[in-house]
Amino acid sequence: MGSLGGVVADSQFHVLAVDDSVIDRKLIERLLKISSYQVTTVDSGNEALEFLGLQDEENKDSDLPSVCTANHNRREVEVDLIITDYRMPGMTGYDLLRKIKECSSLRDIPVVIMSSENIPSRINRCLEQGAEEFFLKPVQQADVNKLRPHLLKERLRNNKSKLIEECLGSRPIKKENFQ
Amino acid sequence: MDVVSQLQKQFVDYSTSLYREGFLDDQFVQLQKLQDESNPDFVVEVVSLFFEDSEKLINNLASALQQQIVDYKQVDAHVHQFKGSSSSIGAQRVKNACVAFRAHCDGRNLEGCMRCLQQVKFEYSLVKSKLETLFKLEQQILAAGGSIPVLA
């Protein structure tokens, strides 16, 4: 199991950044790229869900739990972490967080919330809903450095479960999972 | 003193004054740290986006305040955005003007809001011209074959 450490460094982590401000998107993208992450930026919660392969036409801006079944579009890209602004027109970062956590295929993706407003009740709500971190804007390099442990933990977890599935024969054996 | 040294001194003096007078804060320093040989125009690019965005916001604010029935939530949303973007680039005085503006939105005070809009416009045009001067100095230094001093 110690060899799993080697697999973790394999491919670049891919971060999806969600912010309606073009300036903040540019900033977070640069910060993430400096940390050697692959970055995709979108300007709304809806675009984020679309990118993640979750089409939710009827419930776009509603408070209802999203309909998340195994029939949603299989997304082509792997996303290792989602970082989103809290206050956005339409779907807030909190709404997006909730929809992600309600979806079985997305809920394990770590989510981080950013906000320019330091409101303790808001921060607690987000953390209780499953956000890993809450960053105050403007986001600094020190904040982005906090993302790595969450990314590593998730990748280790994924690799471990893939390995277990292979051992149990429910998944074809892949050489790279044994390196 | 040769041309490059003169320009560099001008640049350092000018930058220092911008921080001292509160036009820029530490966030602008952070922005400059994000610039390197692979992204040599990062600061200018971000600031240009800020200029474009700000002009739109100012227009939106002016028209929102001119409505028969002013939608203060909408006004507040624009000011919040402006506060966010100015904070993100380190335009401290603009940010502070936005903070004051939001208080008047909360109070649904039209006169207060109009005055705040004027103040925000004023601070914005000041920082815009100062940043443009700063960038021009940078260009002059580079054109003269020098390098841009990094403020400690």
Side-chain angles (χ1 to χ4, degrees):
Chain A
M1 283 290 163
S3 61
L4 277 172
V7 188
V8 168
D10 254 356
S11 54
Q12 256 188 328
F13 288 120
H14 181 202
V15 178
L16 176 64
V18 190
D19 202 315
D20 61 311
S21 159
V22 60
I23 291 135
D24 288 345
R25 280 200 301 280
K26 191 162 172 83
L27 272 177
I28 193 70
E29 181 187 47
R30 181 79 188 117
L31 283 167
L32 290 167
K33 283 192 168 160
I34 284 174
S35 292
S36 304
Y37 300 136
Q38 200 193 330
V39 188
T40 299
T41 60
V42 292
D43 67 10
S44 70
N46 282 320
E47 256 206 63
L49 290 175
E50 237 182 87
F51 185 79
L52 292 164
L54 180 55
Q55 288 292 13
D56 196 20
E57 290 303 324
E58 313 85 53
N59 291 337
K60 270 204 165 138
D61 293 322
S62 80
D63 284 332
L64 299 172
S66 43
V67 177
C68 176
T69 67
N71 292 330
H72 70 72
N73 304 333
R74 195 89 197 88
R75 63 181 188 277
E76 294 302 319
V77 276
E78 280 301 303
V79 170
D80 298 301
L81 186 137
I82 297 160
I83 181 164
T84 177
D85 188 26
Y86 182 92
R87 186 166 161 173
M88 297 185 288
M91 193 188 299
T92 66
Y94 179 80
D95 296 330
L96 177 60
L97 167 67
R98 249 188 38 210
K99 288 188 195 260
I100 288 166
K101 292 304 173 190
E102 279 160 11
C103 180
S104 57
S105 65
L106 298 178
R107 76 161 72 101
D108 290 326
I109 303 177
V111 181
V112 168
I113 311 265
M114 309 177 276
S115 176
S116 57
E117 295 170 298
N118 188 353
I119 300 173
S121 59
R122 171 184 292 184
I123 297 173
N124 287 332
R125 244 172 105 226
C126 290
L127 295 174
E128 274 162 26
Q129 188 60 43
E132 305 291 342
E133 301 273 353
F134 191 103
F135 296 158
L136 284 177
K137 285 178 159 185
V139 176
Q140 306 294 316
Q141 194 64 62
D143 296 312
V144 174
N145 293 343
K146 291 182 191 164
L147 299 178
R148 198 163 288 270
H150 298 293
L151 288 159
L152 288 170
K153 190 176 80 181
E154 194 47 36
R155 184 158 285 184
L156 267 172
R157 207 190 62 87
N158 280 339
N159 286 348
K160 211 161 136 188
S161 49
K162 276 188 203 146
L163 201 50
I164 289 168
E165 280 171 38
E166 286 172 23
C167 292
L168 293 175
S170 55
R171 185 185 251 269
I173 291 176
K174 279 201 189 141
K175 180 165 170 253
E176 56 264 29
N177 287 346
F178 276 97
Q179 278 163 352
Chain B
M1 222 196 259
D2 64 285
V3 169
V4 169
S5 304
Q6 261 180 331
L7 287 169
Q8 286 172 329
K9 183 178 185 305
Q10 239 184 303
F11 175 84
V12 170
D13 290 343
Y14 196 68
S15 295
T16 310
S17 74
L18 293 182
Y19 291 104
R20 192 182 55 235
E21 290 162 25
F23 288 104
L24 297 176
D25 63 26
D26 183 67
Q27 181 60 18
F28 193 76
V29 176
Q30 297 308 315
L31 270 193
Q32 292 178 310
K33 289 185 183 166
L34 298 179
Q35 185 164 290
D36 61 21
E37 306 82 54
S38 68
N39 277 264
D41 300 314
F42 181 74
V43 179
V44 169
E45 285 168 5
V46 177
V47 172
S48 303
L49 284 173
F50 171 68
F51 289 163
E52 266 178 52
D53 199 53
S54 301
E55 264 136 55
K56 267 189 225 141
L57 284 168
I58 287 170
N59 286 337
N60 290 343
L61 280 165
S63 89
L65 289 173
Q66 275 156 18
Q67 299 305 306
Q68 278 276 26
I69 297 174
V70 175
D71 180 352
Y72 285 100
K73 264 184 85 180
Q74 185 61 265
V75 175
D76 185 70
H78 290 315
V79 180
H80 171 85
Q81 213 182 314
F82 209 160
K83 174 177 159 257
S85 60
S86 54
S87 161
S88 290
I89 71 144
Q92 190 177 251
R93 280 160 61 151
V94 176
K95 179 186 76 175
N96 291 342
C98 289
V99 172
F101 198 152
R102 292 191 79 191
H104 289 280
C105 293
D106 282 344
R108 303 170 76 83
N109 177 347
L110 182 60
E111 213 187 283
C113 284
M114 299 290 282
R115 271 184 282 121
C116 283
L117 177 57
Q118 287 320 303
Q119 188 63 24
V120 167
K121 280 171 76 171
F122 176 69
E123 291 297 347
Y124 167 70
S125 64
L126 268 181
V127 82
K128 179 168 192 268
S129 86
K130 287 182 188 288
L131 285 169
E132 283 169 344
T133 302
L134 193 70
F135 292 147
K136 211 172 285 177
L137 273 171
E138 282 184 351
Q139 287 310 307
Q140 286 176 312
I141 292 170
L142 293 173
S147 61
I148 299 168
V150 175
L151 292 181

